[in-house]
Amino acid sequence: MALRAVIFDYGIVLTGPPDADAWANLLRITGLPEERFEPLYWADRPAYDEGKLTGIGFWQKLLREAGLPLDLAEELNRWDTRLWTVENPIMVTWQLKLKQSGLLTAILSNIGDDVLASVERTFDWIHRFDVLVWSCQIGAVKPDPAIYRHTLAELGTLPGETLFIDDKLPNVEAARALGIQAIEYSSVERLRADLIAAGLDQSLPLPG
């Protein structure tokens, strides 16, 4: 079955690692050691990404659980939106090459409302994608099969005609369970090797 579409995760695929200065400021504002802050940060991230919490609501909940003043929420939320806006230029350029070669492209991302608003303000290139699926707007998060099916329906492609790239193995495995070709992303170099190993270098231009 010929490849017709490539679906990208957003964070750590189209972007690089989280902004180190933004992370340092989250730690500074809360005054928490990283080993205390990090579990609190990730505990309710799925609920934020699913749209069950707003950005401010996410931070107010974290502050309550940490015993910190709620009036820190707005400043923390501002730095959090910057955390996920470090562009991965090689992957962004590759998306354009894929589109120019005739393939459909999509973003499928677990993302909260205020982070999404920051992404939309920061990166014009997201509008080059044929389909944009943001978890907070759908009410489902990866690896829920529903969000993959929604993305396929928006693209109008079959699972076997579609490649999915994500940095988290559970998300990749969920895509594979639906019959989608999927690759776990760790670096551009590894992605190139995996595409060649899968024989996909015959179907699309390689990144880099």
Side-chain angles (χ1 to χ4, degrees):
M1 192 175 295
L3 189 69
R4 293 184 54 212
V6 179
I7 303 171
F8 292 78
D9 178 34
Y10 171 76
I12 319 298
V13 176
L14 292 168
T15 67
D19 184 288
D21 288 341
W23 184 258
N25 275 292
L26 295 177
L27 296 175
R28 175 186 59 79
I29 294 162
T30 61
L32 296 172
E34 190 164 20
E35 60 270 20
R36 168 68 173 143
F37 176 79
E38 190 164 1
L40 287 169
Y41 182 84
W42 290 111
D44 289 301
R45 208 67 187 187
Y48 179 25
D49 290 342
E50 197 173 347
K52 291 178 178 176
L53 292 171
T54 64
I56 293 296
F58 167 83
W59 282 106
Q60 287 176 337
K61 189 171 188 298
L62 184 151
L63 290 165
R64 278 194 296 270
E65 291 173 0
L68 295 170
L70 297 186
D71 60 6
L72 298 175
E74 288 193 12
E75 187 179 7
L76 288 165
N77 194 45
R78 283 195 299 273
W79 282 109
D80 188 35
T81 63
R82 287 184 51 181
L83 194 64
W84 304 102
T85 52
V86 179
E87 184 179 295
N88 185 348
I90 295 176
M91 292 297 284
V92 171
T93 299
W94 186 48
Q95 181 270 333
L96 182 57
K97 290 180 181 177
L98 294 174
K99 190 170 178 66
Q100 290 170 339
S101 74
L103 290 165
L104 298 168
T105 59
I107 297 176
L108 170 53
S109 176
N110 288 355
I111 197 167
D113 61 350
D114 286 332
V115 177
L116 174 56
S118 177
V119 170
E120 291 174 330
R121 288 192 303 269
T122 305
F123 297 132
D124 289 339
W125 48 256
I126 65 170
H127 303 293
R128 295 200 310 244
F129 288 78
D130 299 285
V131 169
L132 298 170
V133 177
W134 309 110
S135 61
C136 63
Q137 296 177 342
I138 303 301
V141 295
K142 296 174 291 183
D144 184 340
I147 201 166
Y148 299 91
R149 293 191 183 104
H150 175 86
T151 307
L152 291 173
E154 290 292 306
L155 282 166
T157 59
L158 298 172
E161 300 173 322
T162 309
L163 172 66
F164 173 62
I165 300 167
D166 196 291
D167 67 302
K168 293 184 172 60
L169 184 57
N171 297 341
V172 169
E173 291 175 337
R176 289 174 179 162
L178 294 172
I180 299 169
Q181 302 180 70
I183 292 175
E184 182 184 5
Y185 179 87
S186 57
S187 69
V188 173
E189 294 74 21
R190 184 64 200 174
L191 175 60
R192 283 176 60 89
D194 287 342
L195 290 167
I196 292 168
L200 289 170
D201 56 318
Q202 305 301 312
S203 304
L204 44 71
L206 294 174

PDB file of all heavy atoms in Angstrom, residues 99-114:
ATOM      1  N   LYS A  99       5.588  17.667   1.927  1.00  0.00           N
ATOM      2  CA  LYS A  99       4.412  18.296   1.315  1.00  0.00           C
ATOM      3  C   LYS A  99       4.672  18.592  -0.165  1.00  0.00           C
ATOM      4  O   LYS A  99       3.813  18.355  -1.024  1.00  0.00           O
ATOM      5  CB  LYS A  99       4.078  19.584   2.071  1.00  0.00           C
ATOM      6  CG  LYS A  99       2.736  20.213   1.679  1.00  0.00           C
ATOM      7  CD  LYS A  99       2.382  21.334   2.630  1.00  0.00           C
ATOM      8  CE  LYS A  99       1.075  21.986   2.227  1.00  0.00           C
ATOM      9  NZ  LYS A  99      -0.076  21.072   2.362  1.00  0.00           N
ATOM     10  N   GLN A 100       5.863  19.088  -0.474  1.00  0.00           N
ATOM     11  CA  GLN A 100       6.201  19.400  -1.862  1.00  0.00           C
ATOM     12  C   GLN A 100       6.305  18.141  -2.717  1.00  0.00           C
ATOM     13  O   GLN A 100       6.125  18.207  -3.938  1.00  0.00           O
ATOM     14  CB  GLN A 100       7.510  20.186  -1.908  1.00  0.00           C
ATOM     15  CG  GLN A 100       7.378  21.604  -1.356  1.00  0.00           C
ATOM     16  CD  GLN A 100       8.705  22.303  -1.184  1.00  0.00           C
ATOM     17  OE1 GLN A 100       9.763  21.661  -1.099  1.00  0.00           O
ATOM     18  NE2 GLN A 100       8.679  23.635  -1.120  1.00  0.00           N
ATOM     19  N   SER A 101       6.576  16.998  -2.073  1.00  0.00           N
ATOM     20  CA  SER A 101       6.641  15.735  -2.815  1.00  0.00           C
ATOM     21  C   SER A 101       5.261  15.134  -3.059  1.00  0.00           C
ATOM     22  O   SER A 101       5.147  14.095  -3.717  1.00  0.00           O
ATOM     23  CB  SER A 101       7.512  14.724  -2.060  1.00  0.00           C
ATOM     24  OG  SER A 101       6.837  14.202  -0.924  1.00  0.00           O
ATOM     25  N   GLY A 102       4.220  15.759  -2.515  1.00  0.00           N
ATOM     26  CA  GLY A 102       2.856  15.310  -2.750  1.00  0.00           C
ATOM     27  C   GLY A 102       2.212  14.548  -1.612  1.00  0.00           C
ATOM     28  O   GLY A 102       1.058  14.125  -1.728  1.00  0.00           O
ATOM     29  N   LEU A 103       2.929  14.384  -0.500  1.00  0.00           N
ATOM     30  CA  LEU A 103       2.367  13.684   0.649  1.00  0.00           C
ATOM     31  C   LEU A 103       1.543  14.634   1.514  1.00  0.00           C
ATOM     32  O   LEU A 103       1.862  15.821   1.630  1.00  0.00           O
ATOM     33  CB  LEU A 103       3.476  13.075   1.491  1.00  0.00           C
ATOM     34  CG  LEU A 103       4.218  11.887   0.859  1.00  0.00           C
ATOM     35  CD1 LEU A 103       5.492  11.614   1.615  1.00  0.00           C
ATOM     36  CD2 LEU A 103       3.330  10.646   0.841  1.00  0.00           C
ATOM     37  N   LEU A 104       0.500  14.101   2.132  1.00  0.00           N
ATOM     38  CA  LEU A 104      -0.244  14.846   3.141  1.00  0.00           C
ATOM     39  C   LEU A 104       0.547  14.839   4.437  1.00  0.00           C
ATOM     40  O   LEU A 104       1.270  13.888   4.733  1.00  0.00           O
ATOM     41  CB  LEU A 104      -1.607  14.195   3.375  1.00  0.00           C
ATOM     42  CG  LEU A 104      -2.567  14.140   2.187  1.00  0.00           C
ATOM     43  CD1 LEU A 104      -3.741  13.226   2.495  1.00  0.00           C
ATOM     44  CD2 LEU A 104      -3.046  15.535   1.835  1.00  0.00           C
ATOM     45  N   THR A 105       0.420  15.907   5.219  1.00  0.00           N
ATOM     46  CA  THR A 105       1.087  15.956   6.519  1.00  0.00           C
ATOM     47  C   THR A 105       0.111  16.444   7.587  1.00  0.00           C
ATOM     48  O   THR A 105      -0.789  17.234   7.310  1.00  0.00           O
ATOM     49  CB  THR A 105       2.325  16.882   6.500  1.00  0.00           C
ATOM     50  OG1 THR A 105       1.930  18.208   6.135  1.00  0.00           O
ATOM     51  CG2 THR A 105       3.386  16.368   5.530  1.00  0.00           C
ATOM     52  N   ALA A 106       0.328  15.949   8.805  1.00  0.00           N
ATOM     53  CA  ALA A 106      -0.539  16.311   9.931  1.00  0.00           C
ATOM     54  C   ALA A 106       0.288  16.430  11.196  1.00  0.00           C
ATOM     55  O   ALA A 106       1.373  15.851  11.306  1.00  0.00           O
ATOM     56  CB  ALA A 106      -1.629  15.253  10.124  1.00  0.00           C
ATOM     57  N   ILE A 107      -0.225  17.189  12.142  1.00  0.00           N
ATOM     58  CA  ILE A 107       0.297  17.193  13.512  1.00  0.00           C
ATOM     59  C   ILE A 107      -0.757  16.549  14.404  1.00  0.00           C
ATOM     60  O   ILE A 107      -1.942  16.905  14.337  1.00  0.00           O
ATOM     61  CB  ILE A 107       0.595  18.616  14.023  1.00  0.00           C
ATOM     62  CG1 ILE A 107       1.696  19.283  13.195  1.00  0.00           C
ATOM     63  CG2 ILE A 107       1.008  18.580  15.494  1.00  0.00           C
ATOM     64  CD1 ILE A 107       1.969  20.730  13.595  1.00  0.00           C
ATOM     65  N   LEU A 108      -0.314  15.612  15.231  1.00  0.00           N
ATOM     66  CA  LEU A 108      -1.163  14.997  16.257  1.00  0.00           C
ATOM     67  C   LEU A 108      -0.433  15.160  17.581  1.00  0.00           C
ATOM     68  O   LEU A 108       0.589  14.518  17.818  1.00  0.00           O
ATOM     69  CB  LEU A 108      -1.399  13.521  15.942  1.00  0.00           C
ATOM     70  CG  LEU A 108      -2.057  12.677  17.039  1.00  0.00           C
ATOM     71  CD1 LEU A 108      -3.354  13.285  17.528  1.00  0.00           C
ATOM     72  CD2 LEU A 108      -2.265  11.251  16.558  1.00  0.00           C
ATOM     73  N   SER A 109      -0.947  16.051  18.432  1.00  0.00           N
ATOM     74  CA  SER A 109      -0.201  16.425  19.635  1.00  0.00           C
ATOM     75  C   SER A 109      -1.071  16.425  20.877  1.00  0.00           C
ATOM     76  O   SER A 109      -2.207  16.908  20.852  1.00  0.00           O
ATOM     77  CB  SER A 109       0.397  17.830  19.440  1.00  0.00           C
ATOM     78  OG  SER A 109       1.055  18.261  20.612  1.00  0.00           O
ATOM     79  N   ASN A 110      -0.508  15.902  21.960  1.00  0.00           N
ATOM     80  CA  ASN A 110      -1.075  16.113  23.288  1.00  0.00           C
ATOM     81  C   ASN A 110      -0.619  17.490  23.755  1.00  0.00           C
ATOM     82  O   ASN A 110       0.579  17.708  23.977  1.00  0.00           O
ATOM     83  CB  ASN A 110      -0.585  15.049  24.268  1.00  0.00           C
ATOM     84  CG  ASN A 110      -1.199  13.690  24.012  1.00  0.00           C
ATOM     85  OD1 ASN A 110      -2.073  13.539  23.164  1.00  0.00           O
ATOM     86  ND2 ASN A 110      -0.737  12.689  24.734  1.00  0.00           N
ATOM     87  N   ILE A 111      -1.562  18.412  23.923  1.00  0.00           N
ATOM     88  CA  ILE A 111      -1.190  19.794  24.223  1.00  0.00           C
ATOM     89  C   ILE A 111      -2.343  20.503  24.923  1.00  0.00           C
ATOM     90  O   ILE A 111      -3.513  20.260  24.611  1.00  0.00           O
ATOM     91  CB  ILE A 111      -0.795  20.526  22.914  1.00  0.00           C
ATOM     92  CG1 ILE A 111      -0.026  21.812  23.188  1.00  0.00           C
ATOM     93  CG2 ILE A 111      -2.000  20.765  22.023  1.00  0.00           C
ATOM     94  CD1 ILE A 111       0.643  22.402  21.955  1.00  0.00           C
ATOM     95  N   GLY A 112      -2.005  21.369  25.889  1.00  0.00           N
ATOM     96  CA  GLY A 112      -3.010  22.133  26.616  1.00  0.00           C
ATOM     97  C   GLY A 112      -3.336  23.451  25.924  1.00  0.00           C
ATOM     98  O   GLY A 112      -2.607  23.907  25.035  1.00  0.00           O
ATOM     99  N   ASP A 113      -4.411  24.084  26.361  1.00  0.00           N
ATOM    100  CA  ASP A 113      -4.942  25.238  25.631  1.00  0.00           C
ATOM    101  C   ASP A 113      -3.982  26.417  25.552  1.00  0.00           C
ATOM    102  O   ASP A 113      -3.783  26.999  24.472  1.00  0.00           O
ATOM    103  CB  ASP A 113      -6.296  25.679  26.219  1.00  0.00           C
ATOM    104  CG  ASP A 113      -6.227  26.115  27.697  1.00  0.00           C
ATOM    105  OD1 ASP A 113      -5.187  25.906  28.355  1.00  0.00           O
ATOM    106  OD2 ASP A 113      -7.234  26.664  28.182  1.00  0.00           O
ATOM    107  N   ASP A 114      -3.355  26.792  26.653  1.00  0.00           N
ATOM    108  CA  ASP A 114      -2.486  27.963  26.623  1.00  0.00           C
ATOM    109  C   ASP A 114      -1.166  27.682  25.930  1.00  0.00           C
ATOM    110  O   ASP A 114      -0.579  28.567  25.300  1.00  0.00           O
ATOM    111  CB  ASP A 114      -2.255  28.493  28.042  1.00  0.00           C
ATOM    112  CG  ASP A 114      -3.483  29.207  28.589  1.00  0.00           C
ATOM    113  OD1 ASP A 114      -4.252  29.749  27.779  1.00  0.00           O
ATOM    114  OD2 ASP A 114      -3.678  29.217  29.812  1.00  0.00           O
TER     115      ASP A 114
END
